[in-house]
Structure formats: structure tokens, C-alpha cells
């Protein structure tokens, strides 16, 4: 027997031993899992049909889906086709993949069995290049620490300050110019205007300084700044690049999320440079805030805003300049001085604050344009509570109506019903997921009808669809897929309605988003007495799924200026 033959035999024996050990461990693990399932009264699931192993045919459809509506024609169609609200299938490598639209399962994942589920390492791997570690990308102690830093920033006092929002709404109004004698604007897509409004308001709220993207869009006629370059040390150049860089980074993050474990395929130079622009811009304010704190350790020092004389009432200008200016960043400095954590938290808040509220506003005005009688009723409610647009009349007298505040905005029943109904029909996160941290169960999904408990192994991805759950006819009635704000009269909220998640990880900024959206709706409706849909007026609204849900074709409307009172 030669030396090489001995080596080959030893290697073969080692391989055989490894295979036998793997079979033994798999068998033992399977027996333990089955015993766990029996002990918890779980039933085996009915697996979704698949033409190829590991559901490769479904993965292929996801990557190649074009045209139509992905949520309606693929996600919702799967539930309807299989006749169950929890779908179980084989994933790559033989693991389970679960998608559910059951309120009890969602409650278990987000609340009652919270410790069994987390966002997992993949969330950071997918989002990390832009967001870093923070509330949205971490579990355990890191998540608890990040959330503790953010929680105080969403007090009612902080979200009740709408002064900056009024300045930015005036710039949005400048982009909506009346072009005809009868008071109508030209055809306008409101979606990018809402995105710029929220970017400007959110950056001022976070950093104490707005990127002024709405103003830049009004005054810049040339080509936009190319972000496919290394980030600049020139703050002015960074501000001009930020809007485009943030958009490019978000679009790539959406592709990384859809690709699941293949996220690393989407890591282009353009994406990396866009992230670098966002980081460098945020780092500027973090460094300045840290420097201010070191210079005056016993005094909160915030970053001043750019001159805004053209958008201020002369009588309030001096008082505004004398008043200390709030910013989230300066408040977070009271709890941490870690520059990377401050940057990550700031960008994560910006991502959530900008897109969620802007998308909500887009769907609200799309549906108001499709339902003129509801727009008229809303306008009557708003004018009764707050009066006409105060900026339409030079030097208006003191208004006898209530001011716009968190409390007064919540007191309008139709406005609040419109917010609820829009978030129901168009949830900002139509799909979300958690990963089982350990062997655990779901209340429903087992058995031939999916009505028994379901045992799931550790590392199983559980995807839950608020979009599908919010449109279930057995929960919401036969008109579940219609926009009808009246359904909210006297209705109590439960786990069938989760536009901002729920449980310990419920969205901290939900009241900020609702308040800002309500403020914009009120100010728009005060200024414009009619909104008219332009273009296709089909039965449905096509949707685009990125990091958040958005109208696929924008919000193309004309608006008619209200006559001055």
C-alpha cells in the first residue's frame, strides 16, 4: 500500500465519519424538534407547492417580476391561491420560510413571544453600509441602548413644535404656482414635493439645519449634483449632493433587502459613494455638536439654521432668533458621545421620518383626488376648526380659531379617520420579517387548515404582511380593498392593524409621522379648495415596493387655489 493510498483511505474515512456524524446530529435534532412540537400541541404544516427545490421558482419570479402590482399580483395572490393566511415553504438549503397575515401570529412575533424573535444579523448586513448599528439594525443590549437614546426625542413637547414645518410648507406652496385665471395650477406630481418637504423638515429637526432641497429645486435649473464621486469636504457641495445620494442609497438598500442572502450582489461604487456622501454630511453636524458640547459642557448648544427672513413674520423674527433651537442631535449628546452611534441613529431617524410621512401624504392626496365628496367634507371640517389659509392674506388679523397643535389636530375625527384608513390600505411597510432566535412556535399555521399551532426551528425567517392582513375581507368586510374612512367610526384598534408594528419595537416616531402628516393635510386643504386627478383614472392604485410603499405613478393632480376669505 502506497503512501498516497493511505492518505486517500484516511481522508475517505474522515469524510464518511463526518457524514455519519452529520446524519446522527440531524436525526437527533429532528427527534428533539418533533418532541418539542408534540409538547406544544403543534401540527405539521401544509407546504406551499413548488416546481423546483427550495422554492427556486418563487425566488426567480421575485427577481424577474415586471409590470403589474407586486403586492396584489404576487404576494396577495399566493395567499388567495392557497386559501390560508400562513404559508410555509422550503427555503434555500432546506430551511423553512414562513409568511403570515394572521393577527395572532403577528402579535406573537412582535409582542407576546418577543424574546423568541429578532431582526437578526442579516438586517445589519443588508442595511449596514448606510445605517450602521442602531435601533433598526440591532438586537439585544445594543438595541435597548439605541432605543433608550431615541425615546426622549419623541415627547409630545418636541413633536408639538410645528414652527419649522410652517416655514417648509411655505416653500412647498411656492412650488405650486397658479397658472390660470380661474385659480388652477398646472399638472403637478405631489410625491416629490412631499419627499422634499419631509427631507427639509426632518433634517432641521434632527440636526438643527435643513438641507433646503425644496428651495434648491426651485432655484436650480441646471443638472443635479453627480453623487458618483468621492464625498467632498465642502458643506455646500454636500448639501447639494445629499438629496440625490440619499435616494440612490435607499434604492440600492431596497434591492439588497429583496435579495435576502444575496444582498452582497448590490454593492456598486455608486452605492458606496452615495453612502459616503450621507455619512460625511451627518459627520459634519455630529463633529460640530460634539465640539460645542466640549466648549460649553453645562449648556446645550445646537446648530443654527440658515437665514430664513423671507419666510418669517417680521414681528416674530427677533424672538425666534433669541430662542434656543431644538435639535434631536443636541439632545442625544446628553446620553452618548459616540460619534458613530450618533451618526447611525441620525441617519436611521432620517430614513424613517422622511419616507414614511411623505408616502402617507402621497396616498392621502391620491385618494382625496379620487373621492371629491370626502375632500369637500374634510375641507369643511378643517375650515370650521382652523379657518382659511392665514398666509393668503397680507397681515391677517388675529385668528379666532384654534392653533395647529398635536392636540387640536387629533381632535378632528374625519382627518384622523383618513389617516387611519390610508395607513390601513397602504401600510408603509407592507412586508416585514423577524428571525427566530431559538426553537419556538406560532399560534397558527399548523394542520391542514392552518388552524393549529406551528413549531418552527431556530433561524427560521418569519415574514408578516401588514398589507395582506389589512385587506382581509373576513376582518374588514367585503369592501376591505376600498378606501372608506367611515369604517373607523367607533372601531377599536387591535393586532389586525399594525401600520407602525407593535410591541417593544413599535415605531417611536409614529406620533411624529401622524402629526406632521395631519399638519400638511390641514395646510394644503386650507390653501386649495379642490384637487383633481390628472391622467389615468382606473379602478386601482398601482403601488411600488421599495423600503416603503409608494404610488407607482406618483400623485399627478391639479389644484385650485381657495379664494381669500
Amino acid at each position: 500500500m502506497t503512501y498516497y493510498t493511505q492518505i486517500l483511505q484516511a481522508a475517505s474515512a474522515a469524510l464518511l465519519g463526518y457524514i455519519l456524524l452529520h446524519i446522527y446530529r440531524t436525526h437527533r435534532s429532528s427527534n428533539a424538534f418533533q418532541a418539542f412540537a408534540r409538547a406544544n400541541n403543534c401540527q405539521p404544516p401544509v407546504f406551499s407547492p413548488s416546481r423546483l427545490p427550495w422554492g427556486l421558482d418563487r425566488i426567480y419570479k421575485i427577481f424577474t417580476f415586471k409590470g403589474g402590482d407586486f403586492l396584489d399580483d404576487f404576494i396577495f395572490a399566493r395567499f388567495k391561491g392557497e386559501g390560508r393566511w400562513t404559508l410555509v415553504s422550503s427555503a434555500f438549503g432546506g430551511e423553512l420560510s414562513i409568511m403570515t397575515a394572521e393577527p395572532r401570529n403577528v402579535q406573537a412575533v412582535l409582542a407576546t413571544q418577543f424574546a423568541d424573535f429578532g431582526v437578526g444579523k442579516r438586517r445589519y448586513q443588508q442595511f449596514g453600509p448606510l445605517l450602521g448599528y442602531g435601533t433598526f439594525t440591532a438586537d439585544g443590549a445594543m438595541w435597548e441602548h439605541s432605543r433608550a437614546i431615541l425615546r426622549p426625542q419623541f415627547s409630545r413637547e418636541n413633536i408639538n413644535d410645528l414652527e419649522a414645518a410652517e416655514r417648509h410648507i411655505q416653500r412647498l406652496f411656492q412650488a405650486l404656482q397658479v397658472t390660470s385665471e380661474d385659480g388652477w395650477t398646472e399638472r403637478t406630481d405631489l410625491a416629490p414635493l412631499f419627499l422634499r418637504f419631509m427631507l427639509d423638515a426632518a433634517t432641521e429637526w434632527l440636526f438643527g439645519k435643513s438641507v433646503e432641497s425644496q428651495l434648491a429645486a426651485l432655484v436650480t435649473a441646471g443638472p443635479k449634483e453627480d453623487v458618483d464621486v468621492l464625498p467632498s469636504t465642502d458643506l455646500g457641495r454636500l448639501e447639494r449632493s445629499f438629496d440625490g445620494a440619499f435616494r440612490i442609497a435607499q434604492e440600492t438598500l431596497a434591492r439588497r433587502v429583496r435579495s435576502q442572502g444575496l444582498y452582497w450582489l448590490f454593492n456598486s461604487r455608486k452605492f458606496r459613494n452615495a453612502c459616503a456622501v450621507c455619512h460625511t454630511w451627518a459627520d459634519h453636524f455630529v463633529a460640530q455638536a460634539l465640539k460645542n458640547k466640549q466648549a460649553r459642557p453645562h449648556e446645550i448648544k445646537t446648530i443654527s439654521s440658515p437665514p430664513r427672513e423671507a419666510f418669517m413674520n417680521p414681528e416674530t423674527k427677533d424672538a425666534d432668533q433669541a430662542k434656543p433651537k431644538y435639535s434631536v442631535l443636541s439632545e442625544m449628546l446628553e446620553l452618548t458621545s459616540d460619534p458613530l452611534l450618533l451618526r447611525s441613529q441620525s441617519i436611521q431617524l432620517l430614513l424613517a421620518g422622511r419616507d414614511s410621512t411623505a408616502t402617507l401624504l402621497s396616498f392621502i392626496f391620491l385618494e382625496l383626488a379620487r373621492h371629491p365628496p370626502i375632500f369637500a367634507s374634510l375641507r369643511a371640517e378643517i375650515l370650521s376648526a382652523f379657518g382659511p389659509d392665514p398666509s393668503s392674506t397680507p397681515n391677517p388679523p388675529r385668528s379666532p380659531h384654534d392653533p395647529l397643535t398635536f392636540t387640536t389636530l387629533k381632535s378632528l375625527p374625519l382627518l384622523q379617520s383618513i389617516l387611519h384608513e390610508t395607513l390601513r390600505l397602504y401600510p408603509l411597510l407592507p412586508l416585514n420579517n423577524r428571525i427566530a432566535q431559538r426553537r419556538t412556535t406560532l399560534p397558527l399555521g399548523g394542520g391542514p387548515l392552518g388552524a393549529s399551532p406551528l413549531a418552527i426551528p431556530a433561524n427560521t425567517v418569519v415574514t408578516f404582511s401588514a398589507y395582506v392582513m389589512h385587506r382581509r375581507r373576513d376582518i374588514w368586510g367585503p369592501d376591505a380593498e376600498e378606501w372608506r374612512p367611515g369604517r373607523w367610526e367607533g372601531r377599536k384598534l387591535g393586532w389586525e392593524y399594525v401600520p407602525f408594528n407593535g410591541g417593544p419595537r413599535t415605531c417611536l416616531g409614529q406620533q411624529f409621522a401622524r402629526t406632521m402628516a395631519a399638519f400638511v393635510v390641514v395646510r394644503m386643504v386650507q390653501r386649495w379648495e379642490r384637487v383633481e386627478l390628472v391622467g389615468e383614472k382606473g379602478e386601482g392604485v398601482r403601488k411600488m415596493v421599495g423600503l416603503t410603499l409608494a404610488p407607482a405613478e406618483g400623485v399627478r393632480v391639479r389644484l385650485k387655489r381657495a379664494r381669500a376669505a
Side-chain angles (χ1 to χ4, degrees):
M1 183 180 294
T2 67
Y3 173 76
Y4 292 107
T5 302
Q6 292 177 335
I7 293 294
L8 181 61
Q9 288 178 342
S12 300
L15 178 61
L16 179 61
Y18 174 81
I19 292 173
L20 291 174
L21 180 62
H22 178 73
I23 292 173
Y24 169 74
R25 287 177 173 174
T26 301
H27 180 71
R28 187 177 65 176
S29 176
S30 176
N31 287 342
F33 181 74
Q34 291 176 16
F36 172 81
R38 288 193 299 270
N40 287 277
N41 300 313
C42 298
Q43 295 291 322
V46 174
F47 281 78
S48 299
S50 178
R51 296 177 181 176
L52 296 174
W54 304 327
L56 292 176
D57 51 328
R58 283 190 297 273
I59 295 174
Y60 177 77
K61 287 181 181 179
I62 291 173
F63 276 97
T64 60
F65 186 89
K66 293 181 180 179
D69 188 299
F70 179 75
L71 291 171
D72 291 335
D73 301 337
F74 184 78
I75 299 297
F76 210 159
R78 278 193 65 196
F79 283 98
K80 291 179 178 178
E82 298 191 34
R84 295 186 300 276
W85 298 113
T86 297
L87 307 180
V88 182
S89 57
S90 295
F92 189 77
E95 296 181 348
L96 287 184
S97 175
I98 297 173
M99 181 179 292
T100 186
E102 286 283 9
R104 287 179 59 191
N105 285 348
V106 173
Q107 181 183 19
V109 170
L110 296 181
T112 55
Q113 295 171 227
F114 176 78
D116 290 348
F117 297 92
V119 298
K121 294 180 180 179
R122 186 177 295 173
R123 174 76 66 87
Y124 173 74
Q125 292 166 341
Q126 291 169 333
F127 287 87
L130 177 66
L131 301 185
Y133 269 120
T135 305
F136 300 153
T137 54
D139 284 315
M142 180 65 183
W143 166 75
E144 292 176 358
H145 177 59
S146 299
R147 193 171 175 89
I149 292 173
L150 293 182
R151 187 180 292 110
Q153 316 317 323
F154 292 97
S155 67
R156 179 175 297 192
E157 179 184 357
N158 289 340
I159 65 177
N160 202 34
D161 183 5
L162 298 172
E163 184 179 335
E166 176 61 28
R167 291 192 296 274
H168 296 301
I169 201 70
Q170 290 299 324
R171 296 187 181 174
L172 189 153
F173 288 163
Q174 286 187 31
L176 294 170
Q177 293 296 317
V178 171
T179 57
S180 65
E181 293 183 359
D182 55 359
W184 287 91
T185 66
E186 293 181 345
R187 185 177 96 162
T188 304
D189 185 359
L190 293 179
L193 301 185
F194 290 145
L195 281 169
R196 287 195 287 266
F197 168 84
M198 280 310 305
L199 179 63
D200 293 345
T203 49
E204 181 161 356
W205 179 66
L206 282 168
F207 301 113
K209 181 176 182 181
S210 168
V211 293
E212 305 294 357
S213 63
Q214 201 84 263
L215 185 61
L218 287 170
V219 302
T220 304
K224 293 193 179 294
E225 197 76 36
D226 183 8
V227 298
D228 194 20
V229 295
L230 293 176
S232 172
T233 57
D234 179 356
L235 182 60
R237 180 180 174 86
L238 282 172
E239 289 182 346
R240 293 191 296 273
S241 300
F242 183 85
D243 188 15
F246 200 57
R247 173 180 50 78
I248 289 170
Q250 285 181 283
E251 290 172 353
T252 307
L253 287 182
R255 296 188 185 99
R256 290 166 69 92
V257 171
R258 284 196 296 270
S259 303
Q260 307 229 0
L262 300 177
Y263 64 88
W264 46 269
L265 292 174
F266 299 93
N267 192 36
S268 66
R269 178 175 176 268
K270 188 173 186 179
F271 169 62
R272 296 194 301 272
N273 286 342
C275 293
V277 168
C278 297
H279 291 168
T280 306
W281 188 83
D283 287 343
H284 166 82
F285 294 104
V286 169
Q288 185 175 338
L290 287 169
K291 182 179 179 181
N292 289 340
K293 183 181 179 182
Q294 291 170 358
R296 299 181 180 181
H298 302 297
E299 177 183 344
I300 295 176
K301 177 77 174 179
T302 61
I303 304 159
S304 61
S305 289
R308 51 182 184 271
E309 287 79 4
F311 305 96
M312 296 173 59
N313 186 325
E315 281 115 295
T316 63
K317 175 182 171 183
D318 293 338
D320 180 75
Q321 290 179 340
K323 183 174 62 176
K325 183 164 177 52
Y326 172 85
S327 78
V328 171
L329 178 59
S330 65
E331 295 295 323
M332 288 195 295
L333 279 170
E334 299 302 303
L335 300 172
T336 182
S337 297
D338 183 342
L340 287 179
L341 180 58
L342 289 167
R343 177 226 277 172
S344 297
Q345 295 282 70
S346 299
I347 294 180
Q348 290 188 21
L349 282 177
L350 182 58
L351 180 70
R354 172 191 184 245
D355 286 64
S356 59
T357 310
T359 295
L360 173 57
L361 285 166
S362 291
F363 280 118
I364 287 173
F365 277 89
L366 189 58
E367 289 292 356
L368 287 175
R370 291 161 54 88
H371 297 84
I374 296 179
F375 180 88
S377 298
L378 176 64
R379 179 167 164 78
E381 178 181 77
I382 287 173
L383 292 183
S384 174
F386 302 116
D389 176 20
S391 61
S392 296
T393 305
N395 302 316
R398 184 177 180 84
S399 173
H401 297 90
D402 292 331
L404 293 179
T405 66
F406 173 87
T407 302
T408 58
L409 289 169
K410 287 199 72 170
S411 69
L412 273 60
L414 180 54
L415 174 60
Q416 293 302 315
S417 292
I418 285 172
L419 291 174
H420 283 317
E421 181 68 349
T422 307
L423 288 166
R424 180 192 72 84
L425 202 60
Y426 307 107
L428 306 174
L429 289 176
L431 298 165
N432 205 340
N433 66 45
R434 295 290 187 269
I435 295 177
Q437 306 279 56
R438 57 181 67 91
R439 187 170 53 196
T440 185
T441 64
L442 289 176
L444 298 170
L449 300 178
S452 300
L454 174 66
I456 57 176
N459 300 316
T460 298
V461 177
V462 178
T463 300
F464 53 96
S465 176
Y467 181 86
V468 174
M469 190 167 67
H470 289 183
R471 292 177 175 234
R472 283 179 53 173
R473 294 186 178 185
D474 59 322
I475 294 176
W476 300 96
D479 62 350
E481 296 181 58
E482 298 176 17
W483 188 78
R484 187 172 65 82
R487 77 174 75 246
W488 290 94
E489 294 178 8
R491 188 178 185 105
K492 294 183 179 180
L493 302 182
W495 282 97
E496 73 279 1
Y497 180 72
V498 287
F500 293 99
N501 280 339
R505 291 189 84 120
T506 191
C507 176
L508 287 170
Q510 61 178 296
Q511 293 304 330
F512 172 81
R514 290 179 187 271
T515 301
M516 191 65 72
F519 169 82
V520 174
V521 170
V522 168
R523 294 295 289 115
M524 288 283 289
V525 172
Q526 283 179 312
R527 192 173 185 88
W528 309 99
E529 64 181 31
R530 285 180 61 188
V531 55
E532 181 180 273
L533 200 61
V534 175
E536 294 292 330
K537 299 178 175 65
E539 290 297 320
V541 174
R542 289 187 63 243
K543 298 161 291 292
M544 176 177 62
V545 183
L547 289 180
T548 58
L549 196 63
E553 297 165 356
V555 188
R556 295 183 174 88
V557 297
R558 292 194 314 149
L559 301 112
K560 185 177 182 182
R561 180 73 180 269
R563 293 183 292 270

